[in-house]
Amino acid sequence: MKCFLIGGYSDSQQNIEAYIQANFFYIQIYGRIYSYSEAEKSIHKIQPELLILDVDEHAENNALDLLKKTRKYNIDVLVILEEGLKITTYLTKNNISFINKPLDPNELRYHLSGIYVNRTKEKELYQILDRIRNTAPKKRIAIPQEKQIQMIPISDIMYIEADINYCQVYIQDEKSILVSKTLKSFEQQLFNNSEFYRIHQSYLINLNYISKIIKTKLPQVIMTNGDILTVSRSKKTDFLNHLLK
C-alpha cells in the first residue's frame, strides 16, 4: 500500500516512517512533504493509497482545505492531531480516522491495520465484480459470413450442427446459416451459458428448444422445429441427469 506523509516536522515524520517500516511490510512510504499548499501536486503525481497527515493548530485550515480537495481521489486518510482542534468535527462527520497526540504506537497500529484490511476487502470485491462481468453469459454471438458479420441473439439459436470444419447454425423461424467455424469454437464461446449443452460430437443444442426426449438405447431429442437429434452414448447419463436437476 503506497503511503504519503504530509505536515508536521522532520523528526515526527521520520519517527512515523521508521515505525511503519519496522512493523508494516505491506505499507511503503513513497514520499514526505511538510507544506500543505504543495501537497496536492505530490498526491496527484504519486497517487498514494494512504495519506498520513500531521496537523497542529497552525496547519489546521490548510489541512482542512487539502482534505476537501482529496475527496476526488480514492485515498484513505489517517490524521494525527493535537487534541481540541476544530477540524475534529469535520473528521468525525466524514468518517476520517484520526489519532490525538501524543502518538500512541498501539493506536497507530490499530488504525493502519484497519485501513489495510478494509482496502484489501474493497479490492477483492472489485475483483469479484470484474470476474462476474467478464463471465456473464453473452446475449448475442457473431456469425461471420462472406460479406458481413451477423449478430444473432443467442436466445434465437435452436442448435448448432458440426460439419467437419463448418457448422450449420439453426435459428428460430429462419433458415440455417453455414458458418466457417468448428463446433468446438462455438462451445468455447458459450461455455458459461447453462442453456446450451453438447449432446453429441455433432450437436450443441439450446435446451429451451427441446420438445421431447425419446428414451431409447441412444436417446433422441426432438426439437421444437421437428428435427430429431441423437444423444451420444458417452453423453447419455450426464445429459439426462442435467435435465432432471
Side-chain angles (χ1 to χ4, degrees), residues 15-29:
N15 290 337
I16 293 172
E17 182 172 355
Y19 181 79
I20 290 175
Q21 289 177 339
N23 295 277
F24 298 91
F25 69 91
Y26 49 79
I27 300 178
Q28 292 82 42
I29 306 298

Side-chain angles (χ1 to χ4, degrees), residues 48-151:
E49 296 165 291
L50 170 64
L51 295 179
I52 297 180
L53 276 58
D54 190 324
V55 181
D56 57 28
E57 60 179 347
H58 303 295
E60 187 173 10
N61 291 333
N62 290 334
L64 182 58
D65 289 340
L66 179 64
L67 286 171
K68 291 178 179 178
K69 291 177 181 177
T70 56
R71 293 184 67 177
K72 61 186 177 184
Y73 300 100
N74 181 25
I75 300 177
D76 287 302
V77 179
L78 175 61
V79 178
I80 300 170
L81 75 167
E82 296 176 349
E83 194 170 358
L85 296 184
K86 295 179 182 178
I87 195 174
T88 305
T89 303
Y90 178 86
L91 300 177
T92 303
K93 182 179 179 181
N94 290 275
N95 199 30
I96 298 173
S97 299
F98 65 91
I99 305 172
N100 288 321
K101 298 178 182 179
L103 185 60
D104 181 344
N106 291 327
E107 195 172 3
L108 178 60
R109 175 185 290 275
Y110 170 80
H111 282 281
L112 290 178
S113 297
I115 289 171
Y116 176 74
V117 169
N118 289 335
R119 180 164 284 270
T120 301
K121 287 181 178 178
E122 182 182 31
K123 285 183 178 179
E124 290 175 351
L125 177 60
Y126 281 125
Q127 288 171 355
I128 291 170
L129 291 175
D130 282 340
R131 285 197 294 269
I132 292 173
R133 282 192 290 268
N134 292 334
T135 59
K138 294 181 178 180
K139 293 183 178 180
R140 298 195 299 168
I141 194 169
I143 306 293
Q145 300 286 277
E146 185 178 352
K147 295 183 179 180
Q148 62 183 356
I149 297 176
Q150 286 185 255
M151 300 302 296

Side-chain angles (χ1 to χ4, degrees), residues 16 23 42-43 136 171 217 229:
I16 293 172
N23 295 277
S42 299
I43 292 170
I171 301 169
K217 188 173 182 180
L229 312 177

